[in-house]
Amino acid sequence: QVQLVESGGDSVQAGGSLRLSCTSSGATVINLNRYHMAWFRQAPGKERDRVAAIGASNGASLYAEFAKGRFTVGRDNAKNMLYLQMDSLKPEDSGTYYCAAQGTSGGWFPSDAKKYNYWGQGTQVTVSS
């Protein structure tokens, strides 16, 4: 069974920064570098939105409009880790952040949550004003 585990969520003041991490653990560890990866977030009562995605082969990254210029998605291949550096945080960034892995066969669908094969349990981010 594949497990993705997020960490790094916390409570911060507006304008602060957080760095979220995602690793693979459990009975079956997957090489995150071989998957398209993404960060999603969900606030209470709202839909899950894709925050950022990074391609498996070329490392191309995509960001939601609200994340551009403030968030950076990347990989640490040596640690088999996906990260999300979040700067200039705003109260509206609060929510549960999930990492997700999508297989590479059949193309890349960065925003389609249904195309992701594996999900983490989420890490909570709270930004206070």
Side-chain angles (χ1 to χ4, degrees), residues 13 16 37 49 53 65-66 69-70 97 108 113:
Q13 294 284 327
M37 300 295 298
D49 294 324
E65 283 299 319
F66 61 77
R70 299 190 299 128
Y97 283 69
W108 183 20

Side-chain angles (χ1 to χ4, degrees), residues 5 11 28-29 31 37 40 42 49-50 58 61 65 70 73-74 76 81 84 90 94 96 103-104 106 110 117-118 129:
V5 180
S11 296
T28 303
V29 175
N31 184 343
M37 300 295 298
F40 287 77
Q42 187 168 21
D49 294 324
R50 194 259 296 163
N58 57 13
S61 55
E65 283 299 319
R70 299 190 299 128
V73 63
D76 185 332
M81 178 183 294
L84 181 68
K90 304 175 182 180
S94 297
T96 303
T104 57
N117 306 99
Y118 307 112
S129 57

